[in-house]
Amino acid sequence: MSFLNKLLDGHEGGLKHEGMTPMQKIAMRFVVIGLLYYGLAALEGMIMRMYEIKPLPFIDESHFFSIMTVHPMVGIFGSSYMIVFGAFLFLTPFLMKKPIYSIKMANQSWMFIGGGTLIMWLAGFLFSYAPLYTLYWPLPADTEQFTAIGGIVYIVGVVGIMIGTFLYTYNVFKTIVYTPPGWEKQPAGELLKSALGITGLMNFFRKKDTEHLVPLPIAAIARGTIDVGLNAIVISTAGVLILIYLVANGLFSADMQGTWVDALLYKNIFWWGLDLVADGLVLVFVAGTWYLLAMMISGKDLYMQNVARAALFLEMVVSWTVWSHHLMSDQGQSNTLKVLSGEVVTAFELVTQGIAVFIVLTTLYKAKPIKMTNELKFLLGGILGFMLAVPAGIIQADLGMNRVLHNTQWIIGNHVHVAILVGLTMTLYSAIYVLFPILTNGVKLYSQKLANAHFWLHLVGGIGMGAFMGMAGIDGMLRRTIYYNGEYNTYMILAGLCGAMMLLAFVLFLYNIIMSIGLKGLLGIYQPSPMDTHECIAEAKDK
């Protein structure tokens, strides 16, 4: 077979759409778009790395800061949300052995999130809308600094993402508790209690354990999805508030004062909502994904399942009470909140994450000898990423250290980028590698050598970039600041080289996937089918 034929049709025949179920197609739709948005975010990251070394002639400052504004939003919502939601919309009915509640709603979800991300990105690309913290205080509605149309387009994109998120949230919980047509009535209340961890929590106080009605991974999906829904409410509310100011002041020349909103209250609500994702959702979803991957890779039951369920419930509670570590440098913030929420609760994340790491590694150890597959390598890489990033977060969540590290490259490098690019992304890659043959009905990976290169380039590049950015931060390099005199060039050049390694890793991975399933297979998953409009399917009943 010629190279062109392989590129079009895939390795050894590629992807056969006629054999795919609707849920396999939907999961692939989510994941492919998520990977493309990851590539966009990686490219934007490299542009910023290069600009920090020496400003680029074809990008002015306003465009640089607009890239910095949309970069995390594309990475989190366009990439991570899409990949996670696609996997969980497939796994929820698959593991519950019942049809998904609404396949139409699942399709609408990826369309809203993917389309909303594109609209939001265009606000930066076309209108240089660049409030940096996007929806944070002060409200990015200053029409003297930004055009009203740019802000309006941005918020419309954000609202689209949140609509898709609400659809995902409703679909997941409805799938867990509803009774499919023709089935015996299912105990919705007991299913919900099991999914939320209430059954597992009560088992600690019973002489005889009550049976769990939902598998452990479903419990993690359900608890993380609660945080997704709550975060969507907060972000949507902030977006609508900013939209009101943009329309009133920018289009109708009204005089709505920023003082009409209590700044401190707004910041607390904003960070509470954002940390449901940043600290809660990531750790809950990631821990649940680790548990599922550990069981699939080892072929064994999870070690200490009751403890794992209880720890997931505890992590959800922690995610609701940890937000104040973002406000340690805010003089108006209560000292009580800074200490209890900012320091004590944040430090407790070492316990909940440590429990998850111990359970996963013990499960894998008890299954030895075990083959070092792609999914296992990336799972271990993801665990390593969080073992590095979580302690870095604990260090900066100290009132003394926060005065030194706040608003520096340490935070965005050692903590955020290592957590997301090494911890979260390598976990997602592990899930993609393990689900790939399931979603494609057994299509073989084109090249194992490319997969190995993908692993090492991403691992070394991710840790290296975070470390060099962190070193620059310790030396005083601020976030969201352009340095024209080259005083941090050594760190930025090294960080840029590591970033290039990760970008190359993604290109190799994407090439490997395309050569495995073919361009025809890739494009074919977006062709509509009659099942796309059906409210539910019965494909999971016999699995």
Side-chain angles (χ1 to χ4, degrees):
M1 182 182 288
S2 69
F3 171 77
L4 182 59
N5 287 335
K6 286 184 179 180
L7 183 63
L8 291 173
D9 298 327
H11 182 53
E12 296 185 1
L15 190 62
K16 302 295 189 296
H17 296 110
E18 60 273 11
M20 295 182 69
T21 66
M23 281 314 303
Q24 285 175 314
K25 278 192 174 184
I26 285 178
M28 289 288 287
R29 289 169 183 172
F30 271 93
V31 171
V32 169
I33 292 179
L35 289 173
L36 293 176
Y37 273 129
Y38 174 84
L40 175 59
L43 182 60
E44 290 175 333
M46 276 307 301
I47 291 173
M48 289 190 289
R49 295 273 64 79
M50 294 165 64
Y51 202 96
E52 292 284 7
I53 298 169
K54 184 178 181 180
L56 304 173
F58 55 88
I59 297 177
D60 58 22
E61 280 192 15
S62 63
H63 196 189
F64 171 80
F65 285 117
S66 70
I67 292 174
M68 188 177 287
T69 294
V70 298
H71 169 70
M73 302 292 278
V74 170
I76 293 169
F77 295 115
S79 179
S80 298
Y81 262 38
M82 290 289 278
I83 295 172
V84 169
F85 289 1
F88 288 170
L89 282 171
F90 174 80
L91 288 170
T92 299
F94 184 83
L95 296 174
M96 291 292 294
K97 295 181 172 62
K98 65 195 296 189
I100 192 171
Y101 172 69
S102 173
I103 202 161
K104 180 179 179 181
M105 195 177 293
N107 271 306
Q108 291 171 340
S109 183
W110 72 259
M111 291 178 187
F112 270 108
I113 298 174
T117 302
L118 178 61
I119 292 170
M120 176 203 64
W121 180 83
L122 286 172
F125 183 77
L126 297 178
F127 304 107
S128 294
Y129 186 65
L132 296 183
Y133 251 117
T134 63
L135 308 180
Y136 192 43
W137 188 269
L139 294 177
D142 183 353
T143 54
E144 294 182 3
Q145 185 178 7
F146 308 114
T147 62
I149 187 64
I152 291 170
V153 171
Y154 186 90
I155 297 301
V156 168
V158 171
V159 170
I161 294 169
M162 294 305 115
I163 291 173
T165 301
F166 284 126
L167 293 174
Y168 157 81
T169 302
Y170 183 81
N171 213 3
V172 164
F173 275 105
K174 196 68 177 179
T175 299
I176 292 172
V177 303
Y178 91 115
T179 300
W183 287 37
E184 183 180 345
K185 180 68 177 177
Q186 297 199 333
E190 294 302 315
L191 284 167
L192 187 61
K193 285 168 61 178
S194 180
L196 296 181
I198 298 173
T199 301
L201 193 64
M202 294 303 296
N203 279 344
F204 281 99
F205 306 99
R206 296 188 179 109
K207 292 183 178 179
K208 185 178 180 181
D209 286 355
T210 299
E211 181 184 0
H212 296 290
L213 297 183
V214 304
L216 177 59
I218 296 296
I221 291 172
R223 277 164 242 181
T225 299
I226 290 175
D227 282 359
V228 166
L230 292 174
N231 169 263
I233 292 172
V234 173
I235 298 300
S236 298
T237 303
V240 169
L241 179 62
I242 293 168
L243 192 61
I244 291 171
Y245 271 79
L246 283 167
V247 172
N249 291 347
L251 300 185
F252 295 100
S253 300
D255 189 24
M256 294 184 65
Q257 302 296 317
T259 53
W260 291 358
V261 178
D262 184 280
L264 187 60
L265 177 62
Y266 179 92
K267 286 189 281 188
N268 273 275
I269 294 174
F270 175 86
W271 278 119
W272 179 78
L274 200 65
D275 251 23
L276 292 175
V277 172
D279 286 82
L281 180 150
V282 169
L283 297 184
V284 173
F285 272 172
V286 164
T289 304
W290 286 352
Y291 295 152
L292 176 61
L293 290 170
M295 289 186 287
M296 294 180 73
I297 292 170
S298 67
K300 305 289 184 181
D301 289 336
L302 193 71
Y303 183 67
M304 295 171 56
Q305 284 213 30
N306 274 334
V307 175
R309 288 177 183 268
L312 284 171
F313 181 83
L314 186 60
E315 184 60 69
M316 183 179 70
V317 175
V318 167
S319 74
W320 295 348
T321 53
V322 75
W323 80 94
S324 198
H325 59 223
H326 291 283
L327 295 167
M328 284 184 164
S329 295
D330 198 305
Q331 297 305 306
Q333 183 71 349
S334 162
N335 286 330
T336 301
L337 282 176
K338 288 181 181 180
V339 173
L340 293 181
S341 170
E343 289 189 320
V344 177
V345 178
T346 302
F348 200 75
E349 289 186 337
L350 278 175
V351 177
T352 54
Q353 196 69 8
I355 291 171
V357 170
F358 174 76
I359 289 173
V360 171
L361 293 181
T362 303
T363 301
L364 295 172
Y365 177 78
K366 289 171 71 70
K368 63 177 186 180
I370 189 169
K371 185 179 179 181
M372 188 59 74
T373 58
N374 292 324
E375 49 266 32
L376 179 56
K377 286 188 293 189
F378 276 91
L379 172 59
L380 295 175
I383 290 173
L384 175 61
F386 276 106
M387 289 175 69
L388 294 171
V390 172
I394 304 302
I395 290 171
Q396 66 203 42
D398 171 84
L399 281 170
M401 290 301 297
N402 189 262
R403 289 184 176 273
V404 178
L405 300 175
H406 179 72
N407 202 36
T408 69
Q409 290 281 336
W410 163 281
I411 292 176
I412 201 65
N414 279 12
H415 179 53
V416 176
H417 275 81
V418 173
I420 293 177
L421 291 177
V422 184
L424 175 61
T425 302
M426 293 196 79
T427 298
L428 294 179
Y429 275 136
S430 175
I432 290 171
Y433 275 114
V434 79
L435 289 175
F436 181 76
I438 298 174
L439 294 177
T440 60
N441 293 326
V443 171
K444 293 183 179 180
L445 201 62
Y446 173 69
S447 170
Q448 182 56 42
K449 290 182 178 180
L450 289 176
N452 291 336
H454 173 217
F455 171 76
W456 287 111
L457 285 169
H458 189 95
L459 180 67
V460 176
I463 294 175
M465 191 178 81
F468 291 124
M469 291 171 68
M471 293 175 193
I474 292 175
D475 274 359
M477 185 177 182
L478 299 177
R479 297 175 61 185
R480 305 183 292 274
T481 303
I482 301 173
Y483 292 87
Y484 292 100
N485 297 324
E487 52 264 58
Y488 299 106
N489 265 9
T490 300
Y491 294 127
M492 291 299 97
I493 290 172
L494 292 171
L497 290 173
C498 291
M501 291 172 66
M502 283 191 294
L503 183 59
L504 176 59
F506 170 73
V507 171
L508 296 178
F509 167 76
L510 192 62
Y511 176 79
N512 209 6
I513 295 298
I514 292 174
M515 292 300 291
S516 299
I517 65 178
L519 281 175
K520 290 180 181 178
L522 195 65
L523 297 175
I525 62 174
Y526 292 97
Q527 295 177 354
S529 64
M531 294 300 293
D532 285 349
T533 57
H534 286 198
E535 286 304 302
C536 63
I537 56 174
E539 66 180 76
K541 190 171 182 179
D542 299 323
K543 288 188 183 294

